[in-house]
Amino acid sequence: MLSFLAILLALSIGSALVVSAQAYHQPTSKGFRMQHGLETVLVQPFGYDGFRVRAWPFRPPTGNEISFIYDPPLEGPEDGEAHGLSFDTAFTGNQSEEIRNGNIIVRTSGWGGSAGGYRLAFYRVETNGSETLLTNEYAPLKSINPRYYSWNGPGSEFSAEFSFSTTSKEQIYGTGTQQDHMVNKKGTTIDLINFNGNIPTPVFISNQGYGFIWNMPSTGRMEFGQLRNRFTADAATVVDYIIVASSPGDYNTLQQRLSALTGRGPIPPDWSLGYIQSKLRYENQTEVILLAEEFQSRQIPVSMIVIDYQSWAHQGDWGLDPRLWPDVAVMAQTVKNLTNAEMMASLWPSVEDNSVNYADLMAQGFLSATRSGPGTTDSWNGSYIRNYDSTNPGARSFLWNTLKKNYFDNGIKNFWIDQADGGALGEAYENNGQSNYIESIPFALPDVLYAAGTQSSVGKLYPWAHQQAIEEGLRNATSTEIGTPCDYLSLSRSGFIGSQRFCSIIWSGDTTSVWETLGAQVASGLSAAATGWGWWTLDAGGFQVDSTVPWSGNIDTPEYRQLYVRWLQWTTFLPFMRTHGSRACNSQYAYTCANEPWSYGVENTPIIVSYINLRYQLALYIREIFSQFHKTGRLIMRPLYMDFETSDPRIPDLTRENSNVTTQQYMFGPRLLVTPVTRPNVTEWSVYLPQTTGDEAKPWTYWWTNQTYAGGQTVTVPAPIQHIPLFHLGTRSDIVAGNVFS
């Protein structure tokens, strides 16, 4: 079997990037170690056009700290050699040093007179040999140091605040997902705490031509101000960050550099690129078989059918309740025979004391605890629970072995990692299901203790390690290696730096079924993309009813039917096409109502089915854009600044303003411009067509009428309920054939 290092090196084969040894400016040093008072800073050239910086007060790191980046990177001048803690030069006091790596230079400079200490500054080398400052450690005269430490407890862990210079014109893209309608995160403060619908992740790209990774598992904060970008860690033993450079506007190179550090997305199984059917919830085996029969009789293609939560007898059983699912293998095979669809089942990390697994998990130390109190981390549906400890390799193996026995070996080979945010069950409140009248209590989230550390020190590792548990299990079960094409997959409500390396889809969480929420998901998906997550999706139609809107989620109302059709249309042009949600209806108890393609009225069923069929017609195109994402990190969902910042002078200003042009429109691969309809009762829609370089007079073609338009203008096109505003570059025949990068 290949070593893990060999696997990582193999992943770089076939990359589109070609950097010759002669053309690339090789690193001028292995690094330097700067000691200033009681603090040490280690700077190393890392990958192509990048530097890694680690800093600590007093106690040096071991080199085995939690890290989400590859050492060595998948691509770079290292030639497969890991950096570890190596360096060429060590110095103390005030001394200027400089290293160049490709087109980026790091240089030390003083910040407060001869006794003030030294800060780091990062420059891009332009093609004419001049230098452009990308950012430096922010240190106005007489200010708090840009590297700032404090101790909140008796141990060796410290909290840290690191500050970097910025300007009012800088634009920040990425940072994971937040429900904020924003693509440009300038001016925001983002807490590094995962909860339902929010997956803050400290990876961003800047319009100034650099990318940044705050390679820390701790909770903390990101602040993007007018003059200072600040990153904090609540508890750490070393601070670790990476910066990479590219030419301004060359976002493809930035993504290639970053994904060489954090991981490349594997190729998903072909079947997963079709239509995924789910609702809250299919309650028993008979219902699932009848559903498959209905898809077959209506001749509607379906790629996967999903069983949601509460399908088990007790939290932590990690198996279907045999009273409701008497023969899982027969059910899975019947679904396969009827529709050729795979199946997926939901699992939660929570374990109640009535579970068949509770005693074993407790005895082996596989449950996360709390630093005080009885150790329960949350509650659900009348029971207090403890979450399994995903940071513990033994706990991950226990989870997978249970899933394999109860699901995988019986034909359900895909797993929905719900409530996977870490700490508690991932809601923005506690007291889940303990009372009908107390929905939220204003107390701190539990101070959780894991094998790898505390919630403060490693809390951001939890969802990543939970994805890792399923990845390890699936790879072992299928005798495949990480980075190779996936046979099966997981669906996770959370993630972190490098989650794209797993066979795991991230979705946007439990959103509400209203128009405003639909609009927010577009920006959220584009932020996920800029963070590096190509495997992204959502719940078509929204997940839950908004109690302030009478028709929200009600499948028998014309208002919600219209919203659902518009939402479902949009999912055709996401990396994965999926429906899910808690639906209301007029005839039965809410939360058990239908959510199938034929559930939204006879007038809407043909529209819904037509988009499902279109998804399959685009199969070759979608496979190709996933292939490019795998090879080079080239994004699948592409914010307009990605492709048009340099060709269209309006795009930078529109992005800075977070206008609808840049928060509600995007390219799906290189040829399709997608603009979801996010308001009710419209029959036409305005779309901005970006100006492109070297195009003929009318480069954009409206998908539904074949009318062509020149770029650099806003056009209004017909958008009846049957049509999502969709434009394409090039010929439709090339798109359908997947010939899109030639």
Side-chain angles (χ1 to χ4, degrees), residues 19-30 45 47-49 51 76-79 99-104:
V19 181
S20 69
Q22 293 76 21
Y24 188 79
H25 195 292
Q26 296 294 311
T28 55
S29 168
K30 288 185 177 181
Y48 286 125
D49 306 312
F51 286 102
E78 293 86 356
D79 195 25
I99 304 175
R100 179 173 177 179
N101 179 23
N103 71 353
I104 189 172

Side-chain angles (χ1 to χ4, degrees), residues 362-441:
M362 278 293 290
Q364 297 184 66
F366 291 163
L367 296 179
S368 58
T370 55
R371 298 183 71 185
S372 61
T376 59
T377 51
D378 210 329
S379 59
W380 176 259
N381 204 26
S383 296
Y384 287 99
I385 55 91
R386 302 168 192 256
N387 287 341
Y388 101 106
D389 185 356
S390 69
T391 76
N392 187 323
R396 294 199 298 270
S397 295
F398 186 103
L399 172 69
W400 173 254
N401 290 336
T402 308
L403 295 173
K404 185 175 186 298
K405 176 183 66 176
N406 292 332
Y407 292 103
F408 191 92
D409 292 345
N410 290 305
I412 298 179
K413 302 187 176 187
N414 305 279
F415 297 94
W416 183 354
I417 315 172
D418 204 353
Q419 307 290 138
D421 312 87
L425 283 179
E427 305 300 335
Y429 50 84
E430 294 187 78
N431 208 54
N432 287 313
Q434 289 299 308
S435 170
N436 291 327
Y437 62 92
I438 301 177
E439 294 185 357
S440 176
I441 51 179

Side-chain angles (χ1 to χ4, degrees), residues 286-350:
T286 300
E287 189 177 2
V288 168
I289 291 174
L290 290 174
L291 174 68
E293 290 175 347
E294 190 76 6
F295 270 100
Q296 183 199 47
S297 66
R298 291 176 179 267
Q299 297 184 318
I300 300 174
V302 60
S303 290
M304 186 158 64
I305 292 173
V306 183
I307 300 171
D308 199 357
Y309 80 135
Q310 297 290 91
S311 52
W312 44 76
H314 302 99
Q315 295 277 333
D317 286 353
W318 298 319
L320 294 172
D321 186 342
R323 297 169 297 180
L324 301 173
W325 315 87
D327 198 327
V328 177
V330 166
M331 176 185 64
Q333 189 59 53
T334 301
V335 168
K336 189 75 171 178
N337 293 341
L338 289 168
T339 65
N340 203 36
E342 295 290 329
M343 293 197 68
M344 172 180 278
S346 170
L347 67 120
W348 284 20
S350 48

